[in-house]
Amino acid sequence: MTQNGNHIILIGFMGAGKTSVGRRLARDLRLRFVDTDCLIEERQQTTINEIFASRGEEYFRDLETAVLEELLSAGKRPDAQERLVIAVGGGLPVRPQNREIMKKLGTVIYLRARTDTLVARLSGDTARPKLQGGALREKIESLMAARAAIYEETAAAEIHTDGKKLSDVVKEIENNVL
Ligand code: S3P
């Protein structure tokens, strides 16, 4: 797989810090930050919860693929060579097609966090449909069991975020990955 993009793509479980790290990294590097969840909500003029409830998860996953394809074709235009920091939804790498597109977009970085960290960060969350109803820890564990290998396989680098300050995670990416 040839990488034909220069973007920085952050993947990882919900609550791993993709959006916070991505924003800070982009600010530091003076790059534009985009978040696939935000792009989808803006375009659909509604929330992810509402998209899942009214159209179902597969429809949302199609929207994720469409956003990635758009980012890829935008990067190929000669007038649009801007480098981006892109945070993607936690479930986006599950589709093989999305993994191929991400690898083409640029350097994929996996932000890792332990279950305990994720439980602490995600407890009380109401914006993530995959975590609603039922025991949070069990939901995280079962989704993580299905996804961990996918995150590992897709990423060119992994960063552990447990117990680290945001600024240290960002520095680690800048010093060790980019
Ligand atoms: C999802 C993660 C969410 C969002 C949607 C589904 C998932 O993104 O795309 O709620 O399946 O893991 P974050 O990882 O940014 O929370």
Side-chain angles (χ1 to χ4, degrees):
M1 176 59 55
T2 51
Q3 173 184 318
N4 54 17
N6 194 22
H7 303 311
I8 300 159
I9 304 103
L10 302 178
I11 66 169
F13 204 81
M14 294 171 267
K18 302 178 295 284
T19 303
S20 330
V21 170
R23 265 189 216 294
R24 181 74 73 95
L25 181 67
R27 199 184 70 188
D28 259 33
L29 300 174
R30 299 186 198 289
L31 299 176
R32 192 155 65 90
F33 171 71
V34 300
D35 180 312
T36 57
D37 288 335
C38 291
L39 288 177
I40 290 171
E41 288 187 328
E42 270 167 33
R43 282 170 195 179
Q44 300 296 305
Q45 292 284 294
T46 185
T47 63
I48 288 172
N49 263 334
E50 184 50 36
I51 298 170
F52 267 69
S54 63
R55 309 296 300 264
E57 180 166 353
E58 276 311 292
Y59 182 79
F60 174 75
R61 301 298 172 195
D62 290 342
L63 296 174
E64 289 189 312
T65 303
V67 163
L68 281 187
E69 275 170 347
E70 239 180 78
L71 288 168
L72 188 63
S73 51
K76 283 182 184 154
R77 288 200 306 267
D79 60 328
Q81 295 298 321
E82 182 188 14
R83 188 183 199 194
L84 303 172
V85 177
I86 305 169
V88 305
L92 180 146
V94 172
R95 270 196 186 178
Q97 184 189 359
N98 294 350
R99 303 205 280 276
E100 293 311 311
I101 301 173
M102 284 193 291
K103 288 178 187 174
K104 288 183 190 169
L105 280 169
T107 305
V108 181
I109 303 171
Y110 171 25
L111 297 186
R112 268 193 114 102
R114 285 198 299 266
T115 304
D116 284 346
T117 307
L118 296 173
V119 170
R121 290 188 192 153
L122 294 165
S123 73
D125 180 272
T126 55
R128 292 173 169 98
K130 299 291 281 180
L131 301 177
Q132 304 314 303
L136 178 62
R137 176 175 292 272
E138 275 144 41
K139 283 185 184 285
I140 292 173
E141 278 169 350
S142 76
L143 280 172
M144 190 57 108
R147 292 178 179 179
I150 290 174
Y151 294 142
E152 286 162 16
E153 184 274 330
T154 313
E158 286 181 20
I159 302 282
H160 291 258
T161 65
D162 304 280
K164 289 182 189 161
K165 287 194 302 200
L166 183 59
S167 54
D168 290 335
V169 173
V170 170
K171 261 188 236 138
E172 208 174 312
I173 295 175
E174 290 171 358
N175 297 336
N176 302 348
V177 184
L178 302 178

